[in-house]
């Protein structure tokens, strides 16, 4: 049974984002590494299906001996998809076997529902969702222009056309001006442009927060990225600020802080002051932050929206928290996220605060925003949600109206649905101070207009995907 506990521990680490799959697997005791790794990878492949089966059977509710969802996942995996549980009789094995018939029954139901003839087809239906996300790269405009990047890619044989139609197709994104979309199979991790920091591998939705915050590009600008590592949004902010002014980037975790520093050096961010510090321990009265007008908050979250390639193996897309453990974890995250927003609202000159998550759960999204709007800090600072027109107006999928006190507020919120919007799952909100003096710089405004009026050579990716999947989409 130890083997299963070990595999469950690996899954726990991956859930907590304590390393990449490769890294976490490398840390397993060498003797058991091969066997444990195989079980972990296979379990991850089928994780969404296994989660559905486990929650349909209410396994964790009925069997207290199964101490975590990840332990249930590895055991149910072997029961349903391998040669049974490879362990001597004991209370944990017995707890699973008590539900053997129902587990098999639910599994078969899902297979039939999805029209999958084989196990491989079942796993592929989840892979398909990841495959519908283009390979996005953000041109790092601190190094060169998007026009230069487009020219370079063309000279390498890429052509401006549907990135899904051919391996050489690529398109300019319709919402984010410096973002390019390539075929999902295109690899850039060994590309010299990536190694030199001239391109950043960043999902489209993850470009929304910095773009919506739109800090001005001026020597007087003062901005905070409160939760910065690994630094994709920090380098985006820095590029939007044209490397001018000051960008304070907080990261409390020491290891992640060193990643952040590396990333900032690689992306040639000269206006960033990285701080290995807890944002919550920072005094808003500290004179060095007296002129900060823009804050980006992208705090730790459940990550339930992530469905990207290698990461898609970590996917936890379940409609809402299924068991008590999940509820407790989400509530804790939500409490922390709310504290971060309330703290940001205390900075004296702040006029714009972006709060974002890569979660699909309303608990971490609409509910947190709703509570922030009702807080004393919002009342004292006169913070409200920005008007819908100020929050990526051309993006049609908005917040969940039924989750807000005032349903109209949902129009000010941006949501991305994994598998439907050619992005990961994501959420963005923008708080603004009433009668604020600091707004977006005219340059950022014109950049925005430029993007919204941008005449794409190729039809926009999201629309193209939408057309293909017309039957499935519809709510955007
Ligand atoms: C979702 S990640 C941020 C990703 C980042 N914005 C990017 O796009 O690359 C959240 C980060 O915030 C850090 N963090 C969480 N709480 C923090 C706090 N109170 N102060 C500073 N950093 C914090 C975590 O260690 C983690 O690295």
């Amino acid at each position: 049974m130890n083997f299963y506990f070990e595999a469950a521990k690996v899954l726990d680490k991956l859930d907590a984002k304590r390393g990449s799959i490769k890294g976490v697997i490398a840390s397993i005791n060498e003797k058991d590494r091969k066997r444990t790794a195989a079980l972990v990878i296979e379990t991850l492949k089928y994780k969404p299906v296994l989660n559905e089966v486990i929650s349909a059977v209410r396994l964790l509710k009925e069997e207290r001996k199964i101490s975590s969802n990840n332990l249930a996942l590895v055991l149910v995996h072997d029961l349903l998809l391998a040669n049974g549980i490879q362990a001597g009789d004991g209370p944990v094995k017995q707890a699973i076997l008590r539900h053997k018939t129902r587990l098999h029954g639910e599994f078969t139901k899902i297979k039939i529902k999805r029209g999958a003839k084989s196990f491989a087809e079942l796993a592929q239906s989840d892979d398909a969702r990841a495959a519908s996300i283009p390979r996005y790269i953000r041109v790092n405009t601190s190094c060169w222009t998007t026009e230069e990047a487009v020219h370079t890619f063309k000279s390498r044989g890429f052509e401006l056309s549907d990135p899904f139609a051919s391996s050489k197709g690529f398109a300019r994104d319709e919402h984010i001006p410096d973002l390019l979309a390539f075929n999902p199979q295109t690899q850039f991790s060994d590309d010299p442009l990536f190694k030199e920091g001239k391109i950043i591998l960043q999902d489209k939705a993850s470009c929304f927060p910095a773009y919506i915050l739109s800090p001005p590009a001026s020597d007087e600008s003062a901005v905070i990225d409160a939760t910065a590592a690994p630094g994709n949004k920090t380098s985006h902010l820095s590029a939007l600020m044209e490397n001018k002014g000051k960008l304070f980037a907080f990261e409390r975790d020491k290891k992640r802080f060193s990643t952040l520093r590396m990333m900032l050096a690689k992306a040639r961010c000269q206006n960033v002051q990285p701080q290995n510090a807890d944002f919550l321990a920072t005094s808003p009265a500290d004179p060095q932050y007296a002129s900060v007008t823009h804050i980006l908050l992208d705090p730790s979250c459940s990550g339930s929206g992530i469905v990207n390639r290698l990461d898609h193996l970590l996917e936890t897309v379940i409609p809402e928290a299924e068991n008590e453990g999940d509820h407790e974890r989400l509530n804790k995250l939500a409490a922390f996220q709310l504290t971060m927003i309330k703290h940001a609202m205390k900075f004296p000159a702040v006029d714009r605060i972006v709060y974002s998550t890569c979660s699909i759960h309303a608990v971490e999204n609409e509910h947190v925003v709703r509570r922030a709007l009702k807080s004393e800090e919002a009342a004292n600072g006169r913070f409200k949600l920005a008007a819908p027109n100020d929050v990526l107006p051309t993006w049609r999928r908005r917040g969940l109206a039924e989750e807000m006190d005032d349903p109209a507020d949902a129009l000010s919120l941006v949501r991305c649905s994994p598998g439907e919007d050619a992005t990961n799952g994501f959420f963005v909100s923008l708080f603004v101070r009433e009668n604020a003096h600091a707004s977006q710089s005219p340059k950022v405004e014109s950049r925005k207009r430029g993007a919204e009026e941008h005449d794409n050579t190729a039809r926009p990716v999201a629309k193209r995907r939408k057309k293909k999947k017309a039957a499935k989409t519809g709510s955007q």
Side-chain angles (χ1 to χ4, degrees), residues 79-343:
L79 178 77
L80 298 177
L81 294 156
N83 298 325
I85 296 168
Q86 306 297 307
D89 247 358
V92 175
K93 185 173 173 180
Q94 280 309 318
I96 297 278
L97 292 183
R98 260 194 288 282
H99 302 268
K100 189 174 167 182
T101 313
R102 286 188 58 218
L103 287 165
H104 274 289
E106 290 298 336
F107 186 56
T108 308
K109 262 200 240 163
I110 293 172
K111 244 172 47 181
I112 295 169
K113 202 165 72 188
R114 296 206 190 166
K117 290 189 196 74
S118 62
F119 296 150
E121 269 190 27
L122 253 190
Q124 271 161 15
S125 60
D126 293 305
D127 271 356
R129 185 160 34 194
S132 70
I133 303 179
R135 171 76 63 188
Y136 289 109
I137 62 156
R138 180 169 60 76
V139 177
N140 182 4
T141 54
S142 294
C143 301
W144 60 339
T145 65
T146 300
E147 280 62 38
E148 286 168 331
V150 168
H151 183 76
T152 299
F153 286 117
K154 280 184 176 173
S155 70
R156 286 186 184 181
F158 286 97
E159 51 192 44
L160 283 167
S161 64
D162 185 344
F164 287 97
S166 97
S167 61
K168 285 291 180 191
F170 78 116
R172 294 185 73 149
D173 186 72
E174 63 171 320
H175 298 100
I176 300 292
D178 302 312
L179 193 69
L180 302 175
F182 289 78
N183 186 281
Q185 305 304 327
T186 323
Q187 290 300 330
F188 287 106
S189 45
D190 290 327
D191 196 299
L193 294 174
F194 173 63
K195 292 188 172 158
E196 289 163 24
K198 292 175 96 172
I199 58 171
I200 314 274
L201 307 186
Q202 188 169 359
D203 180 57
K204 172 170 176 166
S206 136
C207 296
F208 287 179
Y211 184 65
I212 288 173
L213 189 65
S214 339
S218 120
D219 292 337
E220 283 72 51
S221 291
V223 177
I224 286 180
D225 182 348
T227 49
N232 281 347
K233 295 182 191 74
T234 319
S235 73
H236 193 189
L237 286 170
S238 172
L240 290 171
M241 294 167 76
E242 296 173 8
N243 256 313
K244 294 179 184 158
K246 268 188 209 141
L247 172 49
F248 302 99
F250 289 86
E251 173 52 55
R252 71 174 172 193
D253 183 275
K254 206 167 164 205
K255 215 165 148 201
R256 290 176 67 88
F257 181 70
S258 69
T259 309
L260 171 70
R261 286 180 73 120
M262 261 162 38
M263 157 73 173
L264 296 174
K266 185 169 141 183
R268 293 176 237 178
C269 301
Q270 279 137 20
N271 64 340
V272 183
Q273 296 190 15
Q275 333 240 346
N276 187 193
D278 184 339
F279 175 63
L280 292 174
T282 310
S283 167
D286 186 328
Q288 65 173 319
Y289 308 122
S291 56
V292 169
T293 51
H294 293 60
I295 297 184
L296 190 139
L297 286 174
D298 181 44
S300 315
C301 71
S302 64
S304 56
I306 303 289
V307 282
N308 232 345
R309 284 159 277 271
L310 234 203
D311 290 346
H312 83 275
L313 292 175
L314 298 177
E315 184 200 359
T316 50
V317 180
I318 40 174
E320 264 306 332
E322 298 282 2
N323 60 52
E324 274 166 40
D326 286 341
H327 275 298
E328 205 183 295
R329 179 165 161 254
L330 290 185
N331 287 338
K332 265 194 196 152
L333 281 167
F336 153 73
Q337 291 151 352
L338 177 64
T339 309
M340 294 289 272
I341 301 178
K342 293 200 295 192
H343 190 66

Side-chain angles (χ1 to χ4, degrees), residues 20-141:
S20 64
I21 297 187
K22 265 194 195 162
V24 175
I25 283 175
S27 70
I28 306 170
N29 177 336
E30 205 180 334
K31 186 164 77 61
D32 306 320
R33 190 176 300 150
K34 219 168 155 188
R35 191 171 164 220
T36 313
L39 175 58
V40 166
I41 304 266
E42 282 305 302
T43 304
L44 287 170
K45 261 200 223 162
Y46 294 96
K47 187 172 170 181
V49 183
L50 294 172
N51 263 332
E52 264 185 65
V53 173
I54 290 166
S55 86
V57 173
R58 297 167 51 86
L59 194 61
L60 294 168
K61 285 221 167 80
E62 293 189 13
E63 298 293 347
R64 297 286 161 190
K65 283 273 174 251
I66 303 170
S67 51
S68 75
N69 195 55
N70 283 333
L71 182 61
L73 278 171
V74 288
L75 290 163
V76 173
H77 170 274
D78 270 11
L79 178 77
L80 298 177
L81 294 156
N83 298 325
I85 296 168
Q86 306 297 307
D89 247 358
V92 175
K93 185 173 173 180
Q94 280 309 318
I96 297 278
L97 292 183
R98 260 194 288 282
H99 302 268
K100 189 174 167 182
T101 313
R102 286 188 58 218
L103 287 165
H104 274 289
E106 290 298 336
F107 186 56
T108 308
K109 262 200 240 163
I110 293 172
K111 244 172 47 181
I112 295 169
K113 202 165 72 188
R114 296 206 190 166
K117 290 189 196 74
S118 62
F119 296 150
E121 269 190 27
L122 253 190
Q124 271 161 15
S125 60
D126 293 305
D127 271 356
R129 185 160 34 194
S132 70
I133 303 179
R135 171 76 63 188
Y136 289 109
I137 62 156
R138 180 169 60 76
V139 177
N140 182 4
T141 54

